[in-house]
Amino acid sequence: LILQAELHASTCEVKKAKEKYEASIRSSRNCGRIHDQSLAYELMGDYLSSILENPQATECYKRAHKCYMQWGAVAKANKIQEDHQLDLEGGEIENNQMKHGRD
């Protein structure tokens, strides 16, 4: 699914790309594959940032950070936080911009 999302992203199919990123995130979460979920959130954030949907991209990066921390990939989580200047002091991630409220 993540490769399909990346394909749609590369061909400027915004709606299909978003759907596949979201499907990849759901599938990874449902299968307990936190490492895949981390990557899917990060790549979706990169895509959203590239199409100037910055608030949504930031939410994806925050969720990627959270998943990387749960996985134990602290250095990667810190890199995400540094690269995207995330403010993680605010506590819980808002669920109103993303559809993945269980994260």
Side-chain angles (χ1 to χ4, degrees), residues 18-31:
K18 288 180 181 180
E19 288 171 355
K20 292 299 180 178
Y21 283 118
E22 290 173 355
S24 177
I25 290 164
R26 269 192 313 276
S27 176
S28 298
R29 182 185 55 238
N30 292 341
C31 293

Side-chain angles (χ1 to χ4, degrees), residues 38-57:
S38 304
L39 180 62
Y41 271 127
E42 182 179 2
L43 292 174
M44 186 172 184
D46 289 346
Y47 175 63
L48 292 171
S49 181
S50 77
I51 61 171
L52 304 177
E53 293 188 15
N54 295 320
Q56 296 85 354

Side-chain angles (χ1 to χ4, degrees), residues 51-90:
I51 61 171
L52 304 177
E53 293 188 15
N54 295 320
Q56 296 85 354
T58 297
E59 289 302 317
C60 283
Y61 290 133
K62 286 181 179 181
R63 290 171 187 271
H65 178 274
K66 181 178 177 180
C67 290
Y68 281 126
M69 290 298 286
Q70 288 174 345
W71 180 28
V74 177
K76 180 63 175 173
N78 290 341
K79 180 91 169 102
I80 293 281
Q81 183 177 5
E82 179 183 313
D83 287 352
H84 304 288
Q85 302 168 347
L86 300 180
D87 176 18
L88 301 172
E89 301 299 319

